[in-house]
Amino acid sequence: MKKVIILMLAASIIYLSPLSAKAGAIMFPQCKLTQHGNEARLLFTLHNPSEQSWRFLQWKTPFDAWFSEFVHITHQGVQIPYEGALMKRGEPDKEDYLTLNAGDNIQVELELTQAFKLNNGEYTVEISPILLTPLAESKLKNSTLELTCPKIQINL
Amino acid sequence: MSTKKALSAIAVATALLSGSALADGINATLEMSQQDYKNSDNVVVKVTLTNEEHVPVKLLKWYTAADGVEESLFKVTANGEKRQYLGAHYKRQAPTKDDYIKLKSGESISYDVELSSLYDMSSTAEYEISYDVSSLQLFSPNPGQAKKLARLGIEGIHSQPTSFYLEGRELKQGTNKGKPGGGDGGGEIDGVTFTGRCSNSQKTDILAGLDAAKEMSADANQHLNGNNSNSLRYSTWFGDYNSSRWNTVSNNFSKIDSALNNESLTIDCSCKKKYFAYVYPTQPYKIYMCGAFWSAPTTGTDSKGGTIIHEMSHFNVVAGTDDIVYGQSGAKSLAVSNPAQAIQNADSHEYFAENTPNLN
């Protein structure tokens, strides 16, 4: 498990580099999907290089597998139907939010075959944008960041 | 009626007598607060285990209710006929020392166990229960006493039986009449199959919720058939009037209504999450009820009836709705900002059906 985290940190440097180059700029959280070999398994990474801590509602994010439809998969332009569950929830409370601390990296694995019927071939995988709000006492207060993860192509 | 009274009298006598059963060290007793139960009552028995040895005894937790019921702990009969245990059996590794609880000499532990979710209690009968566990590993093996403890473990722990009268639900004519429920749940009532250990009170709640849902869907249909393009009720939840969207909503509700009245539903009670309920849209017509469902009112906003409407709307063969936004305020905003999405949103259908406050 530790190994995976170290590897991901190494990988995160690569996708962060364009932003790090802008000296003095506020860096926002970033997210990334990576495929495990040629399996239908993805690693979702949320990285926060900024000095600002953020929080987000877990619902409809990779931390909510599979109780909402947050992954969208297409094969040759055709949508693969979602076969996971949909949960009725009411209003969120404190426990429904996750905190992304300054400098933190949080990850979760997604086993796509738990919610989609997939055969061999090439698929495009996209996840719904994640809405992050800064934790209190911030100059960014009252702003919401809509974080869109780059979609990825996977080969099975 | 006279039979029932006679049976109850026996139940009282038995309950008074249900004292100590010798189990070579651990004594088990059962206590029940009632001798008569209605079909909406949960059937709770208090199990007390007492160490009557002069030395401490370590008892395998799996055969107590220390962490909830994880094995069949009781022998249950209805009018003398054995009733199957419907609860979980866990496949496990060999027990470790953490799986044992220690009872000092003379020490007792007590647990309340709800029985109607664990055994089929759908039929009207005189039920008799006794604590009845045995396992080679029931007692933690002390050095030098392993053989003796294994033997005692196989002899097991047994209480005197206690009995009670339960007035079961009238089962509908036809399928499964009078038969015990299959698998893990507790039978079929009014065309509804229960799985996942639904207790008597949960079954009662579900049936009341279903009645409410049927009334709501009939009322929603009636409103939509009125074709009132000025409907405040419609525009509040689905946005500006447009005949194509109105027809979609109308079609959705007629399918919801038809499914509620004509399809066999399965309701599962095993979900321990704090939310209301969930479904797999590709797997009609099974609804999994979770924590918030049980405390919801029968009608009104986020009610049991409305939750069932919401869940039915998700099934792809019904209306194939999604959860685009959550909650009343979200649904109202969506109606204003994006009516095309509002007509695909499950909560919007639920709030339209609940119609609270009344916007007719």
Side-chain angles (χ1 to χ4, degrees):
Chain A
M1 194 60 212
K2 258 189 186 145
K3 245 183 198 163
V4 173
I5 290 167
I6 293 161
L7 278 173
M8 280 319 299
L9 277 171
S12 67
I13 292 163
I14 300 163
Y15 70 88
L16 286 173
S17 51
L19 263 181
S20 323
K22 287 187 199 165
I26 297 171
M27 290 185 295
F28 292 110
Q30 319 220 335
C31 58
K32 186 178 177 171
L33 293 167
T34 42
Q35 185 184 8
H36 275 268
N38 56 359
E39 295 170 57
R41 251 190 326 149
L42 302 184
L43 185 68
F44 169 80
T45 306
L46 192 54
H47 180 63
N48 181 11
S50 72
E51 286 171 15
Q52 171 67 52
S53 293
W54 302 76
R55 67 170 207 158
F56 62 97
L57 187 58
Q58 294 183 55
W59 306 351
K60 293 193 142 190
T61 78
F63 299 93
D64 191 30
W66 296 98
F67 287 102
S68 55
E69 189 174 352
F70 59 87
V71 169
H72 314 283
I73 304 182
T74 54
H75 176 64
Q76 295 173 346
V78 180
Q79 180 103 21
I80 308 295
Y82 171 70
E83 300 194 5
L86 296 177
M87 175 73 88
K88 170 175 165 63
R89 335 215 187 203
E91 296 296 323
D93 63 29
K94 238 173 109 186
E95 295 165 22
D96 294 312
Y97 289 87
L98 278 183
T99 299
L100 179 62
N101 287 319
D104 243 15
N105 213 6
I106 52 177
Q107 299 184 315
V108 65
E109 270 192 9
L110 293 173
E111 181 67 57
L112 299 177
T113 53
Q114 289 174 348
F116 298 91
K117 281 202 183 85
L118 303 173
N119 300 312
N120 290 345
E122 193 178 65
Y123 295 88
T124 304
V125 183
E126 222 177 335
I127 62 168
S128 301
I130 297 168
L131 297 176
L132 297 127
T133 48
L135 282 179
E137 305 308 323
S138 152
K139 52 190 164 187
L140 297 167
K141 211 170 167 180
N142 301 325
S143 59
T144 300
L145 174 66
E146 186 180 301
L147 184 61
T148 304
C149 298
K151 58 174 127 176
I152 62 163
Q153 308 286 332
I154 61 169
N155 265 300
L156 304 178
Chain B
M1 200 60 207
S2 62
T3 325
K4 183 192 153 186
K5 271 198 180 134
L7 286 171
S8 301
I10 296 167
V12 174
T14 320
L16 291 174
L17 287 173
S18 74
S20 48
L22 198 70
D24 246 315
I26 301 292
N27 178 43
T29 56
L30 301 181
E31 277 174 72
M32 301 187 76
S33 57
Q34 295 166 242
Q35 257 91 45
D36 278 275
Y37 291 86
K38 293 196 293 288
N39 61 33
S40 55
D41 291 337
N42 282 344
V43 180
V44 178
V45 64
K46 185 179 178 186
V47 179
T48 302
L49 302 173
T50 306
N51 178 11
E52 295 187 338
E53 290 281 311
H54 299 296
V55 291
V57 169
K58 286 179 189 158
L59 195 58
L60 189 55
K61 266 191 213 171
W62 311 339
Y63 293 98
T64 72
D67 297 331
V69 176
E70 300 183 339
E71 291 293 338
S72 174
L73 303 180
F74 303 95
K75 191 153 82 184
V76 176
T77 60
N79 292 340
E81 231 176 82
K82 190 170 191 290
R83 278 289 185 257
Q84 289 272 345
Y85 169 68
L86 304 170
H89 288 284
Y90 288 74
K91 178 174 161 52
R92 312 178 192 259
Q93 311 278 341
T96 65
K97 67 179 193 340
D98 291 342
D99 293 317
Y100 287 87
I101 41 171
K102 186 172 171 178
L103 281 184
K104 286 181 263 179
S105 176
E107 192 182 359
S108 291
I109 37 167
S110 291
Y111 309 100
D112 283 337
V113 179
E114 202 289 308
L115 295 170
S116 67
S117 59
L118 299 174
Y119 298 88
D120 177 25
M121 293 189 172
S122 52
S123 51
T124 300
E126 183 71 16
Y127 289 81
E128 188 180 89
I129 62 160
S130 57
Y131 194 73
D132 182 53
V133 301
S134 69
S135 160
L136 198 65
Q137 295 157 324
L138 186 56
F139 302 108
S140 177
N142 282 334
Q145 287 182 293
K147 263 193 181 161
K148 184 193 171 195
L149 287 162
R151 179 175 55 77
L152 292 177
I154 286 175
E155 280 174 20
I157 305 175
H158 312 276
S159 73
Q160 288 291 329
T162 186
S163 49
F164 58 90
Y165 175 83
L166 187 137
E167 196 173 296
R169 286 172 205 280
E170 287 293 318
L171 290 179
K172 226 181 184 176
Q173 298 291 322
T175 52
N176 279 2
K177 186 173 186 285
K179 282 187 195 153
D184 63 342
E188 182 191 311
I189 304 163
D190 293 348
V192 183
T193 303
F194 296 99
T195 63
R197 301 166 74 161
C198 302
S199 69
N200 275 351
S201 67
Q202 287 176 326
K203 288 175 189 173
T204 305
D205 283 356
I206 289 162
L207 294 173
L210 262 175
D211 284 344
K214 286 176 189 171
E215 265 178 49
M216 286 178 196
S217 74
D219 176 71
N221 262 326
Q222 198 185 11
H223 187 85
L224 291 160
N225 289 336
N227 211 7
N228 175 2
S229 59
N230 299 319
S231 162
L232 177 61
R233 178 171 171 188
Y234 175 89
S235 61
T236 301
W237 303 114
F238 297 115
D240 287 345
Y241 174 82
N242 148 319
S243 66
S244 139
R245 288 195 297 261
W246 176 289
N247 288 338
T248 300
V249 173
S250 176
N251 194 27
N252 287 350
F253 271 103
S254 87
K255 285 183 174 164
I256 291 169
D257 192 55
S258 164
L260 278 171
N261 287 292
N262 304 321
E263 302 295 343
S264 307
L265 304 186
T266 299
I267 310 273
D268 186 280
C269 300
S270 62
C271 173
K272 298 289 177 263
K273 289 178 181 282
K274 63 181 174 170
Y275 309 119
F276 286 88
Y278 67 93
V279 296
Y280 293 90
T282 50
Q283 297 170 25
Y285 295 89
K286 181 164 185 177
I287 305 178
Y288 299 79
M289 300 305 185
C290 307
F293 179 82
W294 309 115
S295 48
T298 306
T299 57
T301 301
D302 290 319
S303 59
K304 291 189 175 78
T307 297
I308 292 170
I309 300 272
H310 175 119
E311 298 305 333
M312 291 299 282
S313 80
H314 276 322
F315 292 120
N316 292 338
V317 295
V318 177
T321 60
D322 195 0
D323 290 319
I324 295 164
V325 295
Y326 300 98
Q328 273 211 343
S329 59
K332 276 185 194 168
S333 311
L334 190 66
V336 174
S337 66
N338 197 334
Q341 284 197 334
I343 66 167
Q344 294 173 38
N345 184 42
D347 262 353
S348 306
H349 288 75
E350 173 178 341
Y351 297 136
F352 179 84
E354 288 169 346
N355 194 25
T356 307
N358 189 326
L359 299 173
N360 280 345

